[in-house]
Amino acid sequence: MTVSEYLTTLGDNPYFGAGFGLFGLGAGAAILRKGLQASLILFRRHYMITLEVPCRDKSYQWLLHWITVRGARKTQHLSVETTFEQHDTGHIKTKYDFIPSIGTHYFNHKGSWIKVERTREQHTLDLHMGVPWETVTLTSLGKNKGLYFDILEEARQMALTQTEGKTIMYTAMGPDWRPFGHPRKRRPLDSVILDTGISDRILSDVEDFLQAAAWYGDRGIPYRRGYLLHGPPGCGKSSYITALAGELSFGICVLNLSDRGLTDDRLNHLLSVAPQNTIILLEDIDAAFVSREDSAQAKTAYEGLNRVTFSGLLNCLDGVASTEARIVFMTTNYVERLDPALVRPGRVDVKEYIGFCTEPQLKKMFTRFYQTVSPDLPDKFARNVLAQSKNVSAAQIQGYFMRHKADSPNVVAENVKEIWEE
Ligand code: ADP
């Protein structure tokens, strides 16, 4: 049998013919599918724009909030973020923020339909924050990248107006600073009553420093200034720094040097990436180190732990090189425990003692609290308190006033012995 005769015989075979037909159909479908995939890719590449925002990015929370407020209001799929705010009075306010849930949402922005996909990787953790890794992807038709700039800018502006007139506190998370808690209402500077002149001295020093960028630049001196507030607890060190930040419209980056996991390298990195217009606050600086002159035994207790070393801190303070003004505030209840190397000029440029209440402070606090009193009542109150010859902190006075806020100022000025009873 010749080859052509063989093929004719095969062609006449009905089973073979059907198989061949099926094969042809399958191949056709596969080609079509590939073609469709390729054209979808081409379409996506040329006629769709996507923006992917990972949860590590600063704009992530702004964007989620913006999407909820502006676009996805009508979506029925929300997730909730609950936050507490505890006030000095102990009152707790709970706030619920709705944000688009994991999944797909659609909304219209300036005539363009945008698909929002919020995805969460259950198996990948953001190592620094310990939360599941999330991303938000926006997809829209067209080629206009400006749309996304527009959205990001609007989201940023919205976040800014929310924090206007408020003080943002930042805390260190891994290598980054993250806003922590709700932005706090600014505390007026004159609500923290310090001994005469202290507040004005610090404020004018900070203001002079902020004006002096060129002076530092010309002399090649690192543009930073260190402040140390020391004195007994409850006298207003932290409150003053918060109020000062509010006055300057600055945020506060709070660092706890005794944190495990805070190494020299991390501290150095954090200081160099602190957000602009913030005060860096190192609280209770004495607790992190024992003076070098103290026992070698205490020093060895720290060895092997993942902590900041004293020389590491000094290096970090000296090395904070930034074109931005860097203001570092440190507080301590025990100034005598600090190593002299830490408090030398260049590291601590301004040192102020924030102590127990003096006569002018007592008078001012009384007047501020009981606003409509005759002028001699504050004098009487101050006289009575000082006659006890006992140290009293502003926090104790505040507590005493709070307990008697409904009582007559006259009684309050008399019964001062109660201050020490709590
Ligand atoms: P410190 O940091 O010195 O330990 P805080 O600033 O934490 O003290 O003060 C504790 C509480 O006492 C705060 O609620 C604050 O409002 C109040 N307080 C302390 N000092 C003053 C002050 N000088 N003027 C007004 N309130 C004060």
Side-chain angles (χ1 to χ4, degrees):
M1 202 191 281
T2 63
V3 176
S4 68
E5 275 169 345
Y6 181 69
L7 284 178
T8 322
T9 324
L10 266 185
D12 291 344
N13 182 331
Y15 293 108
F16 183 79
F20 196 71
L22 275 178
F23 169 76
L25 220 63
I31 292 171
L32 205 68
R33 203 172 50 232
K34 282 262 180 270
L36 266 176
Q37 274 173 354
S39 39
L40 203 66
I41 291 173
L42 275 178
F43 182 74
R44 272 202 187 161
R45 193 170 293 162
H46 294 288
Y47 299 103
M48 284 170 113
I49 45 168
T50 42
L51 172 77
E52 191 181 290
V53 185
C55 57
R56 284 283 303 283
D57 194 86
K58 286 198 178 59
S59 57
Y60 185 76
Q61 287 302 332
W62 306 343
L63 194 63
L64 275 190
H65 181 73
W66 183 87
I67 291 168
T68 320
V69 174
R70 287 297 313 281
R73 262 265 156 88
K74 290 187 212 95
T75 184
Q76 288 157 285
H77 308 283
L78 295 162
S79 59
V80 68
E81 272 188 354
T82 311
T83 32
F84 294 132
E85 251 179 284
Q86 181 155 20
H87 296 265
D88 282 351
T89 52
H91 174 72
I92 295 179
K93 206 166 96 188
T94 317
K95 193 165 168 250
Y96 302 103
D97 281 328
F98 289 111
I99 48 176
S101 65
I102 302 295
T104 310
H105 311 264
Y106 292 90
F107 72 94
N108 194 297
H109 176 64
K110 297 191 176 161
S112 309
W113 278 99
I114 297 176
K115 179 167 115 180
V116 182
E117 284 171 290
R118 181 173 168 212
T119 49
R120 177 178 292 167
E121 306 260 339
Q122 288 302 355
H123 303 295
T124 320
L125 278 189
D126 178 348
L127 283 180
H128 300 304
M129 309 214 295
V131 292
W133 182 263
E134 287 188 10
T135 33
V136 166
T137 312
L138 306 184
T139 312
S140 78
L141 290 176
K143 292 181 162 195
N144 176 15
K145 283 196 212 95
L147 183 72
Y148 291 146
F149 284 118
D150 201 51
I151 290 180
L152 287 176
E153 186 51 28
E154 252 190 50
R156 192 179 73 90
Q157 288 297 345
M158 187 179 277
L160 276 187
T161 43
Q162 273 201 325
T163 56
E164 220 167 53
K166 307 225 170 121
T167 307
I168 307 178
M169 310 289 285
Y170 295 88
T171 180
M173 287 242 190
D176 290 326
W177 292 97
R178 294 269 151 185
F180 150 78
H182 267 276
R184 301 182 184 184
K185 201 162 157 268
R186 276 186 200 158
R187 180 172 180 157
L189 200 57
D190 62 0
S191 77
V192 185
I193 297 160
L194 303 184
D195 202 8
T196 318
I198 297 181
S199 174
D200 290 344
R201 268 203 304 277
I202 301 177
L203 180 65
S204 70
D205 190 280
V206 175
E207 283 175 341
D208 284 352
F209 168 70
L210 290 174
Q211 305 290 328
W215 189 93
Y216 281 82
D218 292 346
R219 286 158 187 77
I221 303 173
Y223 190 26
R224 59 164 299 277
R225 199 149 175 90
Y227 297 82
L228 175 72
L229 304 188
H230 61 101
C235 293
K237 297 182 291 296
S238 310
S239 311
Y240 181 76
I241 297 167
T242 316
L244 180 72
E247 176 76 21
L248 301 169
S249 302
F250 270 38
I252 303 181
C253 293
V254 188
L255 255 188
N256 187 347
L257 289 183
S258 13
D259 257 4
R260 288 187 180 197
L262 184 67
T263 57
D264 292 353
D265 283 347
R266 211 178 131 216
L267 176 67
N268 207 354
H269 175 78
L270 284 167
L271 292 185
S272 58
V273 297
Q276 291 179 4
N277 295 346
T278 52
I279 286 177
I280 291 176
L281 173 57
L282 310 176
E283 277 200 294
D284 295 326
I285 189 124
D286 57 278
F289 313 99
V290 221
S291 169
R292 273 184 304 180
E293 285 145 27
D294 277 7
S295 63
Q297 185 195 353
K299 257 169 68 187
T300 47
Y302 287 134
E303 271 168 23
L305 294 178
N306 232 358
R307 302 178 85 133
V308 172
T309 63
F310 184 70
S311 60
L313 172 69
L314 297 187
N315 281 336
C316 290
L317 287 177
D318 295 341
V320 184
S322 157
T323 44
E324 284 295 317
R326 262 285 143 260
I327 299 177
V328 182
F329 265 86
M330 299 176 225
T331 66
T332 179
N333 297 338
Y334 309 98
V335 71
E336 65 286 351
R337 292 190 192 166
L338 294 185
D339 194 297
L342 179 64
V343 289
R344 72 138 213 247
R347 292 175 184 145
V348 168
D349 304 284
V350 176
K351 208 158 104 181
E352 286 286 356
Y353 171 68
I354 312 285
F356 292 116
C357 287
T358 58
E359 190 184 352
Q361 274 173 285
L362 290 167
K363 284 189 202 166
K364 271 197 212 154
M365 286 187 80
F366 191 92
T367 316
R368 210 183 147 87
F369 204 90
Y370 302 99
Q371 286 171 354
T372 52
V373 290
S374 73
D376 25 297
L377 264 188
D379 291 349
K380 182 170 159 194
F381 169 72
R383 239 186 357 261
N384 284 346
V385 173
L386 294 173
Q388 306 294 315
S389 303
K390 286 186 196 160
N391 287 334
V392 61
S393 69
Q396 278 173 301
I397 298 285
Q398 180 179 285
Y400 172 64
F401 289 166
M402 294 294 285
R403 293 198 294 278
H404 295 279
K405 54 177 180 289
D407 294 343
S408 109
N410 219 334
V411 176
V412 176
E414 282 296 341
N415 290 346
V416 294
K417 279 204 175 103
E418 264 189 43
I419 294 174
W420 294 271
E421 278 171 16
E422 261 302 281

